[in-house]
Amino acid sequence: MLAATAFYEDPLTLFITGLLLMILFFWYFATELERTKRNVGTFLTLGICALCVLAASPPQERLKGGIDILGGSSFALKIQPKITADGTELPITPSQVDQAITVIEKRLNGMGTAEPIIARQGQDGILLQMPGVEPAESDRIRTTLEKVAKLELREVSPRNSEVGADGKSLAERVLNGSEIIPGYRAYQHKSKDADGKEIKIPILLNRRTALEGSDIALATPSPQQADAVAITLNSAGTDKMIALTKDMRPGVDRIAIVLDGEVISAPVVNQVPLGKQFIVEGLNEPGEVQNLANALMNPLENALQVGEFRNVSPTLGSAVVKQGLVAGVLALAMTFLFVLIYYRVSGLIAIVGLIVNTVILFGVMAMFGFTFTLPGIAGMVLTIGMAVDANVLIYERLREEIGGGKSLKNALEASYDRAFSAIFDSHVTSLITAVILFGLGSGPIKGFAITLIIGVTASLFSAILVTRVIFRWGVDFGIFKKLSFLHLIKSANYDFMGKRRLCIGLAVATFLMSVGAFAVRGERSLGIDFTGGTRITFLFGKENKVPMEEIKKAIAGVKLSKEAYPQQETNLTSGAMLTVRCATKDAPAITAKLRESIPALSMKKADSSDYTIAASQEEVSALIGSSFLVQSLIAIGLGLLGIVIYMTARFEFSFALGGFVAIFHDIIICVGMVVLMGGELSLIHVGAVLTIAGYSISDTIIVFDRIREMLLHRTDSVEKIMNEAVNATLSRTLLTSGATLISVAILAFAGGAALRDFGIIIFIGIIVGTFSSIFIASPVVLWWSNRKGGSIREVVLASAAKSEALSATP
């Protein structure tokens, strides 16, 4: 194992290995010799698999899990710009982002937080993830992150307590604006009265800062005083302190210590002049002394705002990943079983290709240090479905070629060659949407996009190369002499185009109903990812389940700024789970009330103050939520635009328009159905919507590819050819849709809350996408091409002639 790790981590060896694999890859596609293709393809497949296995070994060390799997906390931090005296907002610079990241690392290291994951997000954002952190620790970390630690020492005005004719002190009069003292400003000083109650006392301070955080050489918890931080100044700071205190009156004059604009103490100067050491006292909260010492040693240039916060208890993380893994494994097993039963020996070869696909996916994830998340698991299952789609397309073509009387060897070559363009186009369109998701997405969406990009690429490799190489070995050595498949969906001649008006009418009605769902539900159709707010989650387990009436009664006892929405569900693998969506400022009160009212939530661990059922929390600010919404709309728009541009270049505009209308129809109806079913749209739905777009266009491209092929070689009417093309691809469409439906149905109903939303919208999307590829896309192409007496046949023939002329040009 040591040798494997050393091999993987050596850059030179890795580079040489990658170069050799690339040479093999180009050699495979460059050579025309079948035997050479077979041997090169074999070495290429074995080399890539070996590299990926080494990269992912041992898996418990090489494969990294996200906080939704391991539990922990995630903060999306936004760096706040500095404001000049005249109110001008200064832009965030790269050096300020670097400084903030460095400060965050040092502060967390000072707190003893293990292995934080810190990454840039855009121009002014930072993503911080801390797997394994308990919820109780998250609040302390958040306070530390948001503390700028801008320390200032200011002189307290000698006239501070001077009482006027109105009986108020000078500081109080300046604070309420009834008097102005040039060069001085009034602050609120938090203190405590004789009964220990917190009070605010006005205090008048010099506007000029005498000392700043940059003058501090060392800040540590005081060894003599438990509630104090001992500060040592550098030489410049020592000179400033002497200049500040040399003319002060001992026992009379005071210095105020201001931290982040708040006066935390204002002690009397007992001796003059003061030197390089002093203390900041009055820090009584648990951990406050150490946190302040860490912050003072690592001050921020710019304030940080927590825009998005997610905390998952390790218990919930373990339960959720169990749900996801059970659902994922079951979905894959059902897919494998379907392929094996339906395609027999060919199905077994397809399963080998799917296993290679999975090995590459895990290997690349480990090689580049990408993190596995639950949406990533969903993406992995979906890419397996797409790989099955490619195999079904090849095998259905193979059935046709064998039925046409070709030998097995010639039928295999013809089926792979003819299926290649459709497979390539469908995978490229999926890659377009995945890349856009990665570029514009955040949090769980990025994890999903990464898995999708790797999985789609691996799927393309395994479908067009790995399985073909295995078939070549089998045919060359006489192992495969005859292939047989089930044929449950027989060839037919349904008049799909004749039903186009009825089906388009049905589609328009469903479209309008989906749009109406948004109008009726309004903001309730959007989740906290887009509107802001907090979601609290409690995992009761299999033993405990609390009646919903008790939960609603407990929440009703809290004075809320906005209505809260509790929801409870039960999963076979993890038991009952309670989720409450509420306003962020109401979350602490709701959590406290639920713990007070529900016995299962009030139990604590033995010899510990921690609760046995931890509260996981997800928080998004309204500002970040609105930016997520804008980014999501841009991502969907760019995804559709990218697909249209690619299809226009690959086919003709009329085909691109048909594909666009079909995709737009699918997206609106899928999203509308989620809203109609009472769901809330979240970021994961954005990933699902673009995945649906890619999946739907894959079906449509295969139909269009067959239409073009028939138009080039047949003289029948365009409508008849379109009908025959849809019928010819019907078995493949229904088979792949059925196989993928089984997978996503299992994700939706067995994957728990984390995968349910994704699974449901993909389930709806596959059904709607299958409908649109049959009844919407082709009729739109026919309608557009027939305008003003035009003909799609003429356009296709002209395009083919142009392509031949270009290829013939030396």
Side-chain angles (χ1 to χ4, degrees):
M1 197 60 65
L2 291 174
T5 304
F7 166 81
Y8 164 72
E9 292 180 349
D10 180 25
L12 179 60
T13 307
L14 189 60
F15 172 76
I16 293 173
T17 305
L19 186 62
L20 289 173
L21 292 174
M22 189 176 295
I23 291 171
L24 289 173
F25 182 81
F26 286 111
W27 188 5
Y28 175 87
F29 287 101
T31 184
E32 296 295 331
L33 301 174
E34 287 297 315
R35 185 174 179 180
T36 304
K37 272 188 179 291
R38 183 195 69 193
N39 295 336
V40 171
T42 302
F43 282 115
L44 179 61
T45 302
L46 293 176
I48 290 176
C49 288
L51 182 63
C52 290
V53 169
L54 289 172
S57 300
Q60 63 271 23
E61 296 178 10
R62 304 300 310 180
L63 301 178
K64 298 192 301 183
I67 63 166
D68 53 356
I69 290 177
L70 301 178
S73 296
S74 172
F75 297 88
L77 304 168
K78 192 172 181 65
I79 300 174
Q80 301 302 295
K82 291 182 177 179
I83 309 295
T84 61
D86 61 356
T88 304
E89 189 175 283
L90 300 176
I92 303 297
T93 64
S95 63
Q96 289 173 333
V97 179
D98 292 337
Q99 192 265 350
I101 290 175
T102 302
V103 168
I104 290 170
E105 287 177 339
K106 290 181 178 179
R107 288 187 181 182
L108 293 176
N109 290 337
M111 294 176 66
T113 304
E115 298 182 9
I117 302 168
I118 305 174
R120 289 172 178 264
Q121 267 196 332
Q123 294 182 337
D124 59 354
I126 299 171
L127 177 65
L128 170 65
Q129 291 187 321
M130 290 166 291
V133 171
E134 292 285 350
E137 182 76 359
S138 297
D139 292 339
R140 191 162 70 93
I141 292 173
R142 180 171 186 162
T143 302
T144 300
L145 291 173
E146 292 183 316
K147 188 181 288 296
V148 177
K150 183 181 179 182
L151 183 73
E152 300 171 323
L153 267 66
R154 297 175 184 266
E155 172 205 6
V156 179
S157 170
R159 299 175 56 198
N160 177 72
S161 302
E162 187 178 289
V163 179
D166 58 358
K168 295 181 179 179
S169 68
L170 178 61
E172 192 173 355
R173 295 198 302 274
V174 173
L175 184 66
N176 62 30
S178 61
E179 192 166 340
I180 297 175
I181 305 296
Y184 286 86
R185 175 188 167 188
Y187 287 76
Q188 293 272 27
H189 176 207
K190 290 183 180 179
S191 186
K192 291 185 179 180
D193 61 15
D195 298 327
K197 294 182 180 179
E198 188 174 280
I199 57 173
K200 293 182 179 179
I201 303 173
I203 186 168
L204 192 61
L205 306 183
N206 196 318
R207 287 184 178 272
R208 186 176 64 84
T209 302
L211 282 92
E212 296 180 317
S214 58
D215 298 314
I216 296 175
L218 181 65
T220 59
S222 172
Q224 287 85 26
Q225 197 169 331
D227 65 344
V229 173
I231 294 177
T232 302
L233 300 173
N234 55 29
S235 58
T238 302
D239 293 340
K240 291 178 183 179
M241 179 64 84
I242 292 172
L244 172 65
T245 60
K246 66 180 181 179
D247 296 326
M248 287 187 172
R249 296 167 295 172
V252 178
D253 290 332
R254 300 159 66 194
I255 297 175
I257 299 172
V258 184
L259 183 66
D260 294 340
E262 181 180 323
V263 179
I264 59 174
S265 66
V268 174
V269 177
N270 292 319
Q271 64 179 54
V272 294
L274 292 177
K276 66 185 300 180
Q277 293 182 327
F278 64 97
I279 62 170
V280 177
E281 56 187 355
L283 308 171
N284 300 310
E285 296 297 324
E288 191 175 6
V289 171
Q290 183 63 60
N291 290 346
L292 178 58
N294 288 339
L296 290 176
M297 289 302 294
N298 302 287
L300 284 165
E301 289 184 17
N302 298 67
L304 294 176
Q305 179 187 14
V306 177
E308 182 184 6
F309 166 64
R310 301 178 192 274
N311 180 269
V312 180
S313 71
T315 304
L316 178 61
S318 174
V320 169
V321 75
K322 185 178 179 182
Q323 293 172 355
L325 288 176
V326 167
V329 169
L330 187 58
L332 293 177
M334 293 297 291
T335 302
F336 286 1
L337 187 62
F338 164 77
V339 171
L340 187 60
I341 292 174
Y342 201 88
Y343 291 108
R344 300 170 184 172
V345 174
S346 300
L348 185 62
I349 294 172
I351 290 173
V352 173
L354 296 177
I355 292 172
V356 170
N357 187 357
T358 307
V359 169
I360 294 174
L361 177 60
F362 279 97
V364 174
M365 292 287 284
M367 200 177 298
F368 293 98
F370 295 132
T371 301
F372 275 97
T373 61
L374 282 175
I377 292 175
M380 186 175 70
V381 173
L382 198 61
T383 57
I384 295 296
M386 294 183 69
V388 171
D389 188 4
N391 284 293
V392 169
L393 182 60
I394 293 167
Y395 292 165
E396 290 303 306
R397 274 283 189 175
L398 180 58
R399 187 200 303 277
E400 292 178 18
E401 300 296 337
I402 292 174
K406 289 184 179 179
S407 66
L408 179 58
K409 183 174 183 178
N410 291 336
L412 282 167
E413 294 303 316
S415 62
Y416 273 94
D417 290 342
R418 292 188 175 182
F420 174 78
S421 62
I423 293 172
F424 184 79
D425 289 338
S426 63
H427 280 67
V428 168
T429 51
S430 295
L431 276 175
I432 289 171
T433 58
V435 169
I436 290 170
L437 273 178
F438 179 76
L440 294 178
S442 64
I445 293 298
K446 273 195 184 293
F448 172 74
I450 288 170
T451 310
L452 200 59
I453 290 170
I454 299 170
V456 167
T457 307
S459 168
L460 189 60
F461 174 79
S462 64
I464 65 175
L465 191 148
V466 175
T467 57
R468 192 168 187 174
V469 167
I470 297 173
F471 274 122
R472 281 195 175 110
W473 280 105
V475 171
D476 290 349
F477 283 84
I479 300 172
F480 303 145
K481 296 180 180 178
K482 182 181 178 182
L483 295 176
S484 61
F485 319 110
L486 287 180
H487 197 187
L488 300 180
I489 304 174
K490 306 291 184 182
S491 299
N493 190 25
Y494 301 113
D495 185 15
F496 292 111
M497 298 300 291
K499 305 292 190 300
R500 63 182 182 271
R501 290 180 177 83
L502 174 64
C503 293
I504 288 176
L506 177 63
V508 170
T510 311
F511 182 94
L512 293 175
M513 185 171 63
S514 300
V515 173
F518 282 99
V520 172
R521 292 198 67 200
E523 188 179 313
R524 280 287 292 121
S525 62
L526 301 176
I528 67 168
D529 287 344
F530 300 131
T531 62
T534 295
R535 184 184 294 112
I536 311 164
T537 304
F538 295 96
L539 181 65
F540 290 111
K542 296 181 180 180
E543 295 79 15
N544 302 303
K545 186 174 181 181
V546 181
M548 202 63 191
E549 294 74 21
E550 289 186 29
I551 295 169
K552 290 181 178 179
K553 183 178 178 181
I555 295 175
V558 180
K559 187 177 181 181
L560 301 175
S561 61
K562 191 176 180 180
E563 187 178 358
Y565 302 96
Q567 184 179 357
Q568 190 170 205
E569 65 175 65
T570 303
N571 186 276
L572 294 175
T573 56
S574 59
M577 182 185 297
L578 169 64
T579 303
V580 182
R581 175 186 169 180
C582 61
T584 298
K585 63 181 179 181
D586 295 335
I590 289 174
T591 303
K593 188 65 177 178
L594 288 172
R595 291 204 183 278
E596 176 188 322
S597 307
I598 299 173
L601 296 180
S602 62
M603 296 173 61
K604 293 188 176 182
K605 298 178 183 178
D607 302 322
S608 172
S609 60
D610 296 335
Y611 290 96
T612 54
I613 299 178
S616 298
Q617 190 167 315
E618 189 176 350
E619 174 188 321
V620 180
S621 72
L623 181 63
I624 295 293
S626 62
S627 71
F628 281 164
L629 181 59
V630 172
Q631 283 183 343
S632 299
L633 293 173
I634 292 173
I636 292 171
L638 287 177
L640 292 176
L641 180 63
I643 290 173
V644 169
I645 291 173
Y646 180 80
M647 288 194 66
T648 302
R650 188 65 184 80
F651 294 90
E652 288 77 31
F653 177 73
S654 54
F655 286 109
L657 180 64
F660 174 81
V661 171
I663 294 172
F664 190 72
H665 157 274
D666 299 344
I667 289 174
I668 297 299
I669 290 180
C670 288
V671 171
M673 287 297 171
V674 171
V675 176
L676 278 171
M677 291 163 58
E680 295 177 347
L681 300 177
S682 63
L683 280 175
I684 195 62
H685 285 117
V686 177
V689 160
L690 284 176
T691 303
I692 289 167
Y695 200 90
S696 173
I697 204 65
S698 298
D699 275 349
T700 305
I701 281 173
I702 289 161
V703 175
F704 286 173
D705 201 57
R706 188 61 68 94
I707 291 172
R708 285 189 63 188
E709 182 183 327
M710 290 182 171
L711 285 171
L712 290 172
H713 301 98
R714 299 266 297 276
T715 57
D716 298 302
S717 70
V718 173
E719 185 172 336
K720 182 179 179 182
I721 285 176
M722 286 185 169
N723 250 330
E724 289 189 19
V726 174
N727 277 285
T729 57
L730 184 63
S731 62
R732 174 257 158 214
T733 299
L734 296 180
L735 283 171
T736 54
S737 297
T740 312
L741 274 175
I742 293 171
S743 299
V744 296
I746 293 171
L747 285 181
F749 299 109
L755 297 179
R756 180 191 60 226
D757 293 344
F758 178 86
I760 287 175
I761 192 170
I762 293 289
F763 186 89
I764 297 170
I766 291 171
I767 295 174
V768 175
T770 302
F771 173 87
S772 68
S773 67
I774 296 173
F775 294 106
I776 304 293
S778 296
V780 170
V781 174
L782 182 64
W783 164 76
W784 182 262
S785 63
N786 286 343
R787 291 178 320 119
K788 300 179 182 179
S791 171
I792 186 64
R793 187 196 305 277
E794 295 174 3
V795 177
V796 169
L797 290 173
S799 177
K802 185 178 179 181
S803 298
E804 287 180 9
L806 288 173
S807 61
T809 303

